[in-house]
Amino acid sequence: MADLVKRIQSRLSRKSISISKQDLTLEIAALGYSPQALEEDEIDTITQLLLDKHQNTELAVSEPEEITAAPSDEHHASTPNSTAITNQQKEQLISVQAQSMGISLSESEITDISQTVSDSFTDFVSAVETINSSIKSYAQTKFDEVEQKIDSSNSNLRDYIDKKTTSLQRKSLEGAITTKEVLEQKSSNLKSFSKSLSAAFKAQ
């Protein structure tokens, strides 16, 4: 990735467009490409898009620490030693970083996370670290919500099983008592019949 970004930077430089690697990485992400996973066949397209964008503009960086804010229709306040990024750039970086972490986010989730991220950072690394932390926090919250739902579902299932088990035990006990009473009644009737039959034979 670093070599490909450097090649784009060199091509822009040959066209009198000077831009720091940090800002270039942000701009590549804003174009919809992943700075961490650039392909060889994307270089020409990205270079042309940036040339068109900066045709009449030169981003001058006097020192590595002093990063000029990436151009945008949105305006963000930044200090001389910080770089401002737009909402579009934040959302693109969030999408790229989430994919690299194996987390799938919807557009609305990306927007929600971007609203928790600052618009200004000291450097690109700081921006990525902050975004990664925000993604992890968001994912943890979602995992906790799912876990709570599972716990609640398991609890409801246990209660249902306990109630059904108690009901079946009660019915089984009632059935056993009824069977015992029937058998005892039949035994009593049989004894009474035997006595009557014996008395009848004696009378003969």
Side-chain angles (χ1 to χ4, degrees):
M1 182 274 292
D3 290 341
L4 296 182
V5 171
K6 187 175 181 179
R7 283 172 57 186
I8 295 174
Q9 187 181 36
S10 296
R11 292 186 182 186
L12 293 175
S13 179
R14 287 197 293 270
K15 296 294 184 178
S16 299
I17 297 176
S18 177
I19 181 172
S20 69
K21 187 173 293 185
Q22 290 94 336
D23 280 336
L24 179 56
T25 304
L26 286 173
E27 293 213 27
I28 291 173
L31 291 174
Y33 294 90
S34 172
Q36 290 82 8
L38 289 179
E39 299 291 341
E40 185 73 28
D41 57 3
E42 295 174 336
I43 301 303
D44 291 340
T45 301
I46 294 173
T47 301
Q48 188 58 52
L49 289 173
L50 292 174
L51 284 173
D52 292 342
K53 182 176 182 179
H54 296 283
Q55 188 173 13
N56 298 315
T57 304
E58 179 179 355
L59 297 178
V61 181
S62 59
E63 296 180 7
E65 293 81 5
E66 295 180 356
I67 305 173
T68 304
S72 168
D73 292 335
E74 301 178 36
H75 299 285
H76 300 279
S78 61
T79 63
N81 291 325
S82 69
T83 182
I85 61 176
T86 67
N87 286 333
Q88 181 184 12
Q89 290 172 327
K90 282 195 296 183
E91 291 179 1
Q92 181 59 35
L93 283 173
I94 290 169
S95 177
V96 170
Q97 291 304 115
Q99 290 177 10
S100 69
M101 296 162 67
I103 299 175
S104 178
L105 297 174
S106 66
E107 291 184 5
S108 61
E109 288 175 327
I110 291 175
T111 299
D112 289 342
I113 295 175
S114 70
Q115 292 175 353
T116 68
V117 178
S118 173
D119 296 328
S120 181
F121 299 93
T122 55
D123 51 41
F124 177 71
V125 173
S126 175
V128 172
E129 289 177 346
T130 300
I131 286 173
N132 284 350
S133 177
S134 296
I135 293 173
K136 290 178 182 178
S137 296
Y138 186 85
Q140 185 60 53
T141 299
K142 290 298 180 181
F143 289 147
D144 288 344
E145 290 177 358
V146 172
E147 185 176 11
Q148 289 175 1
K149 290 180 180 178
I150 292 175
D151 288 342
S152 177
S153 177
N154 289 340
S155 178
N156 291 337
L157 179 59
R158 284 194 297 270
D159 290 343
Y160 174 78
I161 292 175
D162 288 342
K163 290 179 181 178
K164 283 296 182 181
T165 300
T166 301
S167 176
L168 290 174
Q169 289 175 340
R170 185 181 68 253
K171 290 181 179 180
S172 296
L173 180 59
E174 291 174 350
I177 293 174
T178 300
T179 300
K180 180 182 179 183
E181 291 175 348
V182 170
L183 292 175
E184 288 176 345
Q185 183 62 43
K186 287 184 177 294
S187 177
S188 176
N189 292 341
L190 183 58
K191 288 179 181 179
S192 177
F193 174 75
S194 296
K195 288 180 180 179
S196 299
L197 185 60
S198 177
F201 277 114
K202 288 180 179 180
Q204 293 179 358

